[in-house]
Structures are given as C-alpha cells and as structure tokens.
Amino acid sequence: MPYSRNSLTKLVPELYVTDIRTSLSFWCGLIGFSVLYDRPEEGFAYLNLDGAHVMLEQRTETDRTWETAPFSYPLGRGINLQIKVPDTEPILFRLAEAGIPLFMNLEEKWYRADNVELGQKQFLVMDPDGYLLRLIVDLGERGIIDNGK
C-alpha cells in the first residue's frame, strides 16, 4: 500500500533498534508486517499490518535521540505491544521454523470490560531487541462468567 497521510493512525510507537535489517526480517518476515515507507539511508522504516502501525529506527551514537535511560537489552521494559492479527497460526509456524522462542505460549484469555468479557487468543514473543509483542486474535465477547471469585 503506498504512503498516504490519511493512512496514518493517531498513535504510532517508534522503537529504536540496534540493527534495522535484523528487525525488518523479524517484523516483516516472521510477524507479517509490510513496509509502508522507509528511509534506508537513515535506518528508518514505517510498518503496517492490517492497520497496526509501528516505526523502527536504527539507533546510532551520533544521531539525535530521545533516550530517557541507558540503551540496554531488553528494550521496552514495562510495555507490551498488543497487535491484532487475522490468525496466529501462520505467525507461530514461522517463528518455530526460525527457532524463535515464545515468551508466553498461545492461550485463550477473557478480560472483563464493564458487564461483558472480551476474549482473545494470544501469545507473546520478544523481537530481536527485546520489545515484547502480544499477538492476538479477537474471540468476541460474552457475558460475565462467575467462577465463585
């Protein structure tokens, strides 16, 4: 899909990475994102997966940065990026084929939201720089189930 200002979402995380090529292999080759536009000479890529957007930028010592702490692995501590995907199985297959371990195995999880529960199949995986991705498939909603809690 070609770049258009209208295709941008209102919140787009920009992640510093140590090697843009390694990151693109992971994010595009394994997870399924595509490059919406890039600036290879700057080590920058804007990615899209069914409306989920993320920017990757290779960190260099000489560039202006907005780092708030030392740049050490794993990056992104304290955050996970939930990404809705059409199907987890192809992604899980590609990750297994590449020997990438999961941070958390596939599970079905229901989260209370007011008077309903929202369901999703989900798993977590770390990208090459340690950013935690939670890939989900929407299972819809159901009434609250009381398990005696």
Side-chain angles (χ1 to χ4, degrees):
M1 169 170 73
Y3 167 75
S4 162
R5 270 292 230 203
N6 296 330
S7 65
L8 300 179
T9 60
K10 293 185 185 242
L11 175 65
V12 183
E14 182 172 4
L15 308 177
Y16 282 128
V17 299
T18 54
D19 184 287
I20 191 71
R21 285 170 291 184
T22 300
S23 292
L24 287 172
S25 292
F26 178 86
W27 284 81
C28 296
L30 299 177
I31 303 301
F33 278 80
S34 60
V35 176
L36 192 58
Y37 68 90
D38 63 356
R39 293 188 297 274
E41 70 282 3
E42 296 178 21
F44 174 87
Y46 190 112
L47 308 181
N48 174 51
L49 173 61
D50 293 331
H53 294 213
V54 66
M55 296 182 285
L56 303 178
E57 182 176 350
Q58 183 169 316
R59 178 189 179 272
T60 65
E61 295 291 332
T62 58
D63 287 344
R64 174 182 78 150
T65 65
W66 298 325
E67 294 175 26
T68 58
F71 198 71
S72 60
Y73 183 89
L75 305 178
R77 289 173 288 243
I79 188 171
N80 73 76
L81 301 172
Q82 178 175 287
I83 304 165
K84 185 177 175 184
V85 296
D87 188 4
T88 56
E89 295 307 316
I91 300 168
L92 288 166
F93 177 79
R94 291 190 298 265
L95 291 169
E97 287 286 302
I100 306 291
L102 298 181
F103 185 84
M104 185 188 81
N105 289 327
L106 184 67
E107 68 173 4
E108 182 177 306
K109 184 71 175 169
W110 292 85
Y111 296 99
R112 187 182 60 76
D114 294 325
N115 61 349
V116 297
E117 289 183 324
L118 306 175
Q120 57 194 47
K121 284 192 325 186
Q122 63 185 15
F123 71 91
L124 285 91
V125 63
M126 291 177 78
D127 90 336
D129 289 296
Y131 292 105
L132 192 57
L133 311 182
R134 179 167 38 144
L135 296 136
I136 69 132
V137 171
D138 184 12
L139 297 176
E141 66 180 58
R142 68 182 185 194
I144 302 283
I145 296 177
D146 183 6
N147 292 327
K149 295 179 185 174

